[in-house]
Amino acid sequence: MTWWPSFGSGWLLRPSQGLIYDRQLVILSLSLMAIGLVMVSSASIAEGINLGDDPFYFVKRHGAFLLICLMLSSLMLQVPMARWQQFNTGFLVLAIVLLVVVLIIGREINGSQRWLPLGPLNVQPAEIAKLALFTFLAGYLVRRQDEVRGQWKGFLKPLAVMGLMSLLLLKQPDLGSVVVLFVTTLGMLFLAGARLSQFLSLVALGAGLLVFLIISAPYRVRRVTSFLNPWEDPFGSGYQLTQSLMAFGRGGWFGEGLGNSIQKLEYLPEAHTDFVFAILGEELGFTGVLLVLLLQAWLAFKALHIGQKVLLGGRQYEGYLAMGIGIWFSFQTVVNVGAASGMLPTKGLTLPLVSYGGSSLLVITTAVCILVRIDFEWRRDHMQARQREVT
């Protein structure tokens, strides 16, 4: 008899028992990881030669990150959701401490102090902060649901926590992560039943703050103006976007062929990280772009579906957290794709499970493992209930 890995609490999964993980969710995640490895391999060759005289420099690192992700998955799948709920406040405090530490001893790259050097690895606390805030917020919505729905103070408390984290992120600076935190928090509060007046007030406040943050920093103003008309200054503020648009234009329906991108040859900056989607469009064309967008949409839909299912089953913490992860994945995908295609200003956010970046890969993999665990526990408990009914 073939045995599946243990998922904690002494459970062993067997096909004969009908108690298995969500294979569809796992296959989706592994497919996006595989596509990411291929595209990073292709997009980073020129940068690898320029940086370390090794065309496979970034490929080796990305492959090592993926192996770490797989090992981390075997551990994260063992953690019951009760533990996430129990220690969500401690996880949030740890994330805030890391955001403070990175401002003191963090490593500065391209004018941003976002990375903590840990030997050969650079940890980005902003990625950890996203998951930490969403796990905390899910717990808060369970504990204070009536207060969130009926009183302003219950609505404002989680916003104060998000505001503190946002201030620390803006010190790095990292406006993209702040926007992700804000939109996901907004979505989770809305799902928890916040009043429409509170919701609209928060939207207006967020829009006002976003405009203020943009006009208060000259480089952000340049990003917005170059996004509106990148061809006005194609060799200055609009350079990155014009090169990205040329990559999409060269791709056509079926692309130039894997490995045949011209823009990755030091024309398009950050080709293997923030703009890997543009290289994918150039080499695989509209069909490759459509495939990746469908996979990303399917992954987000799976998260939202799991959240809805467990919410209806009475598991509020798991439901809110799964919904938050679904909103996070979908919004970050929209921002990355929108920036690469010229529909949104550049924000420096990775494409989930595809772009190069160890911290992002590890945190998003952890979030996927949480989704698998939520679905598993729901299936397990429903199977036990059916067995008791039979007996």
Side-chain angles (χ1 to χ4, degrees):
M1 180 63 66
T2 303
W3 291 82
W4 295 96
S6 169
F7 274 61
S9 303
W11 283 91
L12 292 172
L13 310 185
R14 287 190 300 181
S16 60
Q17 293 176 319
L19 189 57
I20 58 176
Y21 53 80
D22 190 328
R23 292 177 180 175
Q24 194 177 93
L25 183 56
V26 174
I27 292 172
L28 274 173
S29 304
L30 292 177
S31 298
L32 286 169
M33 286 180 173
I35 292 172
L37 179 61
V38 172
M39 292 315 305
V40 169
S41 301
S42 177
S44 64
I45 291 175
E47 186 68 18
I49 294 173
N50 181 55
L51 185 64
D53 198 25
D54 180 3
F56 303 110
Y57 175 80
F58 290 101
V59 182
K60 294 172 184 175
R61 291 177 65 87
H62 193 74
F65 289 140
L66 289 177
L67 288 176
I68 295 172
C69 285
L70 294 177
M71 291 187 288
L72 178 68
S73 299
S74 65
L75 297 175
M76 290 296 102
L77 289 171
Q78 307 293 329
V79 181
M81 291 310 302
R83 294 291 177 266
W84 286 102
Q85 187 171 4
Q86 180 181 0
F87 296 109
N88 64 79
T89 303
F91 187 25
L92 178 72
V93 171
L94 173 63
I96 292 174
V97 169
L98 290 175
L99 289 176
V100 173
V101 171
V102 76
L103 295 175
I104 301 172
I105 62 171
R107 181 183 177 188
E108 184 174 334
I109 301 175
N110 296 330
S112 298
Q113 193 167 329
R114 304 178 185 176
W115 293 268
L116 280 175
L118 295 177
L121 301 177
N122 288 319
V123 177
Q124 192 171 359
E127 298 295 335
I128 300 172
K130 294 173 188 175
L131 183 59
L133 178 63
F134 306 149
T135 56
F136 168 79
L137 188 56
Y140 177 86
L141 293 176
V142 173
R143 296 190 300 270
R144 306 284 184 176
Q145 190 171 62
D146 293 337
E147 196 173 303
V148 169
R149 293 176 176 178
Q151 301 180 38
W152 272 98
K153 68 175 183 179
F155 182 76
L156 293 175
K157 285 177 183 177
L159 295 183
V161 176
M162 188 207 71
L164 173 61
M165 299 180 80
S166 298
L167 287 174
L168 294 172
L169 287 167
L170 289 172
K171 288 287 186 180
Q172 297 181 6
D174 188 356
L175 180 59
S177 294
V178 172
V179 175
V180 171
L181 293 182
F182 175 77
V183 171
T184 307
T185 300
L186 194 72
M188 293 179 72
L189 288 170
F190 180 75
L191 291 170
R195 290 182 296 181
L196 186 61
S197 59
Q198 296 172 327
F199 185 75
L200 293 177
S201 298
L202 183 57
V203 171
L205 176 63
L209 287 175
L210 182 61
V211 171
F212 171 75
L213 290 170
I214 290 173
I215 63 177
S216 64
Y219 80 93
R220 293 188 187 123
V221 175
R222 287 194 299 271
R223 281 188 178 184
V224 173
T225 55
S226 64
F227 143 72
L228 293 173
N229 186 11
W231 302 104
E232 184 179 353
D233 187 13
F235 298 104
S237 60
Y239 178 77
Q240 196 169 31
L241 181 53
T242 56
Q243 296 299 318
S244 178
L245 292 175
M246 282 191 280
F248 282 112
R250 294 186 73 250
W253 284 96
F254 301 104
E256 294 290 318
L258 192 61
N260 292 330
S261 167
I262 298 297
Q263 300 307 116
K264 70 183 180 183
L265 302 178
E266 297 294 299
Y267 291 104
L268 177 60
E270 310 296 338
H272 60 295
T273 54
D274 300 343
F275 283 83
V276 70
F277 194 71
I279 303 302
L280 185 146
E282 184 179 4
E283 296 190 348
L284 302 182
F286 178 76
T287 54
V289 165
L290 184 61
L291 173 63
V292 172
L293 287 178
L294 287 174
L295 290 175
Q296 292 284 4
W298 198 351
L299 179 63
F301 173 79
K302 286 292 296 182
L304 294 172
H305 174 70
I306 290 171
Q308 180 190 39
K309 177 175 65 176
V310 298
L311 268 177
L312 293 175
R315 295 174 174 266
Q316 290 186 313
Y317 178 78
E318 291 89 339
Y320 288 135
L321 182 53
M323 289 284 194
I325 291 172
I327 297 169
W328 167 25
F329 284 3
S330 56
F331 181 73
Q332 187 158 319
T333 299
V334 167
V335 172
N336 180 276
V337 173
S341 58
M343 294 185 290
L344 293 171
T346 55
K347 282 290 182 289
L349 294 175
T350 59
L351 185 61
L353 298 176
V354 176
S355 297
Y356 175 84
S359 296
S360 175
L361 275 174
L362 291 169
V363 172
I364 292 177
T365 298
T366 301
V368 172
C369 290
I370 289 174
L371 293 175
V372 174
R373 179 75 201 195
I374 290 172
D375 180 76
F376 163 73
E377 291 188 3
W378 185 86
R379 292 171 185 246
R380 179 194 64 188
D381 294 345
H382 274 253
M383 177 166 287
Q384 287 179 321
R386 287 196 298 269
Q387 289 175 345
R388 284 196 295 267
E389 290 175 1
V390 172
T391 56

